[in-house]
Amino acid sequence: MAVNLRILSLTVTTAETEKTYHFNRPATVITGPIGTGKSSLLMLFKHALGGTAMLTPAVRDHVLSVQAEVVAGTERIVLRRTIGGDTADTVDLLDPHSLALERTLPLRNTESGGTTLSDHLLDALGFPRVQIAARREGVARQQNLTFNDLYTYVYLQAREIDRQVVGHLDSWFEPKRKELFRLMFALTDSVLLELKRTAGQLTDRLKARTAEHDNIGQFLAASDPRSDDELRAELVQLRDTLGRAESALASLRTELEEQTAADSALREELQAAIHAARQAEEEVSAAADLVEARQAVVAQVQLDLSRLARSATAIDQLSPFEFVVCPRCMQSLTTRTVADDHCIVCLQPDPAEADVDPAAIEETRTVLQQQLEDARHIEQSDEAHLQASRQRSQQINFAVTSLRRQLDAQTRDAVAPRFDAITDASTRVATLKASIDAITQLRDSWTRVRAIDKDIRDIRAERRQANKDIKEKSEQLKASQTLLGDLSTEFGQLLTSWNLPWVDTAVIDRDTYLPVVNGQPFESLQASGGGIATSVSLAYSLTLLAFGLDHADVLVPSLLVIDSPRKAFGNNDSDRQRATDIYSRFRTMADAYGERLQLIIADNDPPPITSDSFGKVEFDYENPMVPGVDHPGPDRVTRIENQTQD
């Protein structure tokens, strides 16, 4: 049977007041002139139930919140949602008796998880919460079927009623529309949807792994033409060659170590000679420094003797003379005033007699000559030591040179060839290892190719099994296909009963689940006029609703909200008759099913027929849908003129 969904009331709250609209009949017709808020009221249903609604400026500017009282399944639910602000993405769930806040539900899934408004409503309706594998940009993505998706089957908007059927032209919604239809008519279930989603994921994995396999294969073909078997054989050969090369290298190193041990005595002797030569050179350097110091002492004593000789000579030869001119510049000294005991030339005090004692001068000369002889004797001794040190250093350096030549001869004949061989062997080992590494990397790529091949085989096997399970599950659900045939028959009977022009046959397609008129899809009806397209869309939705009410295993919602059922209808007799036929269908269903269904219809004009099953909500420019708002309707001009005259 149809899932029970009913709107009991809607409360519109503004800053100044609030207004509650009740819907307590099987059918409610909302009427009023253009712009009084009929469509806005229907949009507020959608907004209160968590959908994305197109709200007019009057609603956005004046309405603070809406509160809807609904029945979902057997549960009475009160929802309150603000129009704007930070809380517009949540809906308050109120206690239906006290209207106290029970909890706030998000409209969309959050990172922390938890129940959304859609989850709560679907659970209350008893409608399965499932995911489908919808493809976007060639990739399968998991998508939740939400209450808002289901509400698309409930709400026939005025702007869409003659353009598309249940949003079938919206490519992003099309997969959901089909899966919802299948769920409602038991053509699928959560198990089958899970199998389809798994098959889609396997297809994406297969595509990705196949692309990866192709990319690696292209890389291998471009980088090296050898096959994996050829690389494996060459790798075995290289490893064998490497083993022999490493053995030869180890043997050469062993021979070198043995030869090095044989030369150790000669090397030790050479090291001792080098050490002795270094000490001899240091001794020569020290002796040379000492000789240089002795020579400096001799030179100083000789300088002192020369200075003493010049001083004595000057005193002896110059003291008898009375200088009348300066011996340097030859200027006259007779005009100078000089003390009696001072030198007329330098003006210093005359020396005492003791300072120019010849005996003292001679004694000093004797001492200096003795010092000079001693210094020369020591200098000769130091020079002899320096000469001996140099000879010893030359002898030791000669011994070092001889030992080096001897060691070089042995190295040249025994060690050097081995060093060259070791260098060649090391280079060969390194080259072999590099070749092995390169082939190993190529073989790793081949190993990856084999692993991908296995994954591809496994994925294909899993996909075959998933497709087999899908086929088996679909066969189990095939009995429901008879329902689709009956649904198509009822749709055709209803539509043809309205005597629409150019309509001969009407069915519901078994693949698209959309109406097909005269063998043509719904879009082709645009050329025949919007009134015919509107009639087809209405007949389709009314047939689904009635079929759900008549069949226990069909999950069509029991609510249908229709905006402008007479859209694009004319005023001639035949058009008025079709409008009467449509409203007659509304009355027939309301009378037949009573409280089991709910029709909410927005129309400009009052219904062409009356019925006790019809409730009504009437708007005008004095009393528009948004309470307390001065509506700028045609009567406003008259009111303004009257106020001006008064």
Side-chain angles (χ1 to χ4, degrees):
M1 60 180 294
V3 293
N4 187 30
L5 178 62
R6 188 178 189 86
I7 297 175
L8 302 180
S9 67
L10 185 79
T11 300
V12 180
T13 302
T14 67
E16 293 78 19
T17 185
E18 67 179 19
K19 175 73 173 178
T20 299
Y21 301 99
H22 296 279
F23 308 92
N24 48 18
R25 298 287 184 90
T28 301
V29 181
I30 306 168
T31 61
I34 294 173
T36 53
K38 304 181 299 297
S39 296
S40 293
L41 183 62
L42 303 188
M43 280 290 178
L44 287 177
F45 292 161
K46 184 178 180 180
H47 182 77
L49 292 169
T52 301
M54 294 182 297
L55 304 178
T56 63
V59 172
R60 294 196 304 268
D61 295 342
H62 299 284
V63 178
L64 301 179
S65 65
V66 290
Q67 178 176 301
E69 183 179 4
V70 301
V71 174
T74 59
E75 184 178 350
R76 186 168 160 230
I77 301 172
V78 179
L79 303 171
R80 180 177 63 203
R81 184 181 179 189
T82 60
I83 296 300
D86 297 336
T87 59
D89 289 336
T90 60
V91 174
D92 293 334
L93 183 64
L94 308 181
D95 180 88
H97 303 291
S98 66
L99 299 183
L101 177 64
E102 291 185 348
R103 56 177 169 155
T104 298
L105 298 174
L107 300 184
R108 300 172 186 82
N109 290 317
T110 60
E111 294 181 359
S112 58
T115 301
T116 64
L117 175 63
S118 173
D119 297 336
H120 185 83
L121 291 174
L122 290 177
D123 290 344
L125 290 172
F127 199 88
R129 279 201 281 148
V130 296
Q131 290 183 325
I132 65 170
R135 303 190 73 82
R136 285 191 179 182
E137 298 177 355
V139 179
R141 302 179 184 275
Q142 294 183 2
Q143 289 186 332
N144 293 323
L145 289 180
T146 66
F147 176 81
N148 288 327
D149 299 327
L150 181 63
Y151 197 72
T152 308
Y153 273 93
V154 171
Y155 182 21
L156 277 65
Q157 299 185 44
R159 70 187 185 95
E160 304 291 348
I161 195 169
D162 61 345
R163 191 180 76 88
Q164 59 180 338
V165 178
V166 196
H168 80 284
L169 295 180
D170 296 333
S171 58
W172 64 269
F173 181 68
E174 181 66 358
K176 289 187 173 185
R177 180 192 67 80
K178 290 182 178 179
E179 291 300 344
L180 281 168
F181 189 96
R182 295 185 186 107
L183 282 170
M184 289 189 297
F185 285 86
L187 300 174
T188 189
D189 58 14
S190 58
V191 175
L192 183 56
L193 287 175
E194 179 64 26
L195 288 171
K196 288 182 177 180
R197 190 169 72 251
T198 300
Q201 292 173 344
L202 289 171
T203 297
D204 288 339
R205 284 178 55 198
L206 180 61
K207 184 185 297 183
R209 296 299 272 172
T210 301
E212 185 179 5
H213 180 278
D214 293 343
N215 290 336
I216 297 175
Q218 292 173 3
F219 164 76
L220 289 171
S223 60
D224 197 303
R226 291 171 291 182
S227 67
D228 188 35
D229 291 337
E230 291 173 336
L231 290 172
R232 181 170 58 252
E234 186 170 346
L235 185 61
V236 171
Q237 182 178 359
L238 284 173
R239 284 174 174 165
D240 181 62
T241 304
L242 176 62
R244 294 195 300 272
E246 287 178 336
S247 297
L249 178 60
S251 177
L252 287 170
R253 285 174 173 166
T254 301
E255 292 177 4
L256 181 61
E257 290 174 358
E258 292 174 353
Q259 183 63 41
T260 302
D263 296 338
S264 60
L266 184 58
R267 291 181 184 277
E268 291 177 1
E269 185 178 354
L270 176 59
Q271 291 296 327
I274 291 173
H275 180 67
R278 190 179 297 113
Q279 288 180 336
E281 289 175 357
E282 291 175 355
E283 186 178 351
V284 168
S285 178
D289 291 341
L290 185 58
V291 167
E292 186 178 354
R294 300 303 185 195
Q295 290 173 345
V297 172
V298 170
Q300 182 63 46
V301 174
Q302 288 176 336
L303 182 61
D304 291 343
L305 281 171
S306 177
R307 187 184 298 112
L308 181 62
R310 287 196 303 270
S311 175
T313 302
I315 292 172
D316 291 341
Q317 293 180 359
L318 297 177
S319 59
F321 295 97
E322 285 293 334
F323 285 88
V324 295
V325 293
C326 176
R328 177 178 179 276
C329 65
M330 303 306 292
Q331 295 184 69
S332 176
L333 299 177
T334 58
T335 60
R336 301 178 72 183
T337 303
V338 182
D340 291 339
D341 55 352
H342 285 69
C343 176
I344 194 171
V345 178
C346 67
L347 301 181
Q348 296 185 79
D350 290 333
E353 291 294 333
D355 294 336
V356 294
D357 183 7
I361 293 173
E362 184 62 28
E363 183 180 355
T364 300
R365 181 182 296 113
T366 302
V367 171
L368 289 174
Q369 287 177 345
Q370 184 61 46
Q371 290 178 351
L372 179 60
E373 290 177 3
D374 293 341
R376 284 176 174 169
H377 178 71
I378 294 172
E379 179 186 3
Q380 292 172 357
S381 176
D382 289 339
E383 286 179 349
H385 177 68
L386 173 60
Q387 186 63 30
S389 297
R390 285 174 174 167
Q391 291 178 355
R392 187 166 57 255
S393 176
Q394 291 174 354
Q395 293 172 354
I396 294 174
N397 284 330
F398 178 77
V400 168
T401 302
S402 299
L403 290 171
R404 277 180 173 163
R405 288 175 178 172
Q406 185 178 353
L407 183 60
D408 287 344
Q410 292 184 9
T411 303
R412 182 176 60 254
D413 296 337
V415 177
R418 288 180 174 83
F419 269 124
D420 293 339
I422 288 173
T423 301
D424 293 340
S426 298
T427 302
R428 178 165 176 72
V429 166
T431 301
L432 288 169
K433 287 183 176 179
S435 299
I436 289 173
D437 289 341
I439 292 178
T440 301
Q441 290 178 0
L442 288 172
R443 292 214 63 214
D444 288 343
S445 297
W446 280 109
T447 301
R448 188 177 174 188
V449 167
R450 289 193 298 273
I452 295 174
D453 280 336
K454 183 179 183 303
D455 282 350
I456 289 175
R457 291 193 299 272
D458 293 343
I459 292 171
R460 283 174 174 165
E462 289 182 46
R463 192 174 65 165
R464 283 195 299 271
Q465 183 60 47
N467 289 332
K468 179 181 177 182
D469 294 340
I470 289 172
K471 185 176 180 180
E472 291 177 355
K473 186 63 179 177
S474 298
E475 287 294 326
Q476 295 173 9
L477 298 171
K478 197 170 184 179
S480 299
Q481 292 287 343
T482 58
L483 291 177
L484 190 57
D486 295 341
L487 177 71
S488 180
T489 299
E490 291 188 14
F491 167 69
Q493 291 173 350
L494 174 59
L495 192 60
T496 54
S497 70
W498 287 349
N499 296 316
L500 297 170
W502 313 109
V503 174
D504 296 325
T505 61
V507 297
I508 293 178
D509 188 88
R510 289 180 174 271
D511 296 322
T512 64
Y513 315 120
L514 292 172
V516 175
V517 178
N518 298 335
Q520 299 297 319
F522 181 82
E523 302 89 89
S524 66
L525 298 177
Q526 297 291 337
S528 301
I532 293 179
T534 299
S535 299
V536 173
S537 182
L538 282 170
Y540 179 80
S541 294
L542 291 171
T543 303
L544 295 186
L545 175 59
F547 205 84
L549 293 168
D550 291 337
H551 294 80
D553 50 353
V554 174
L555 300 178
V556 176
S558 63
L559 169 65
L560 188 60
V561 179
I562 306 170
D563 193 355
S564 303
R566 287 183 277 188
K567 183 179 179 181
F569 279 27
N571 247 341
N572 55 53
D573 292 341
S574 59
D575 284 340
R576 285 195 296 271
Q577 181 58 48
R578 289 188 192 92
T580 300
D581 291 342
I582 290 173
Y583 269 90
S584 295
R585 181 65 177 177
F586 293 158
R587 181 179 61 187
T588 299
M589 293 181 67
D591 291 343
Y593 297 110
E595 298 298 326
R596 293 175 56 200
L597 66 66
Q598 184 178 31
L599 297 172
I600 300 178
I601 306 149
D603 209 345
N604 288 340
D605 299 321
I609 61 174
T610 60
S611 172
D612 293 338
S613 299
F614 286 7
K616 62 181 179 179
V617 175
E618 296 178 316
F619 296 136
D620 55 35
Y621 294 120
E622 294 291 338
N623 300 286
M625 186 274 296
V626 180
V629 175
D630 188 15
H631 195 285
D635 294 341
R636 185 184 179 194
V637 177
T638 303
R639 293 197 306 271
I640 294 174
E641 291 176 350
N642 293 335
Q643 292 173 359
T644 303
Q645 293 174 359
D646 294 342

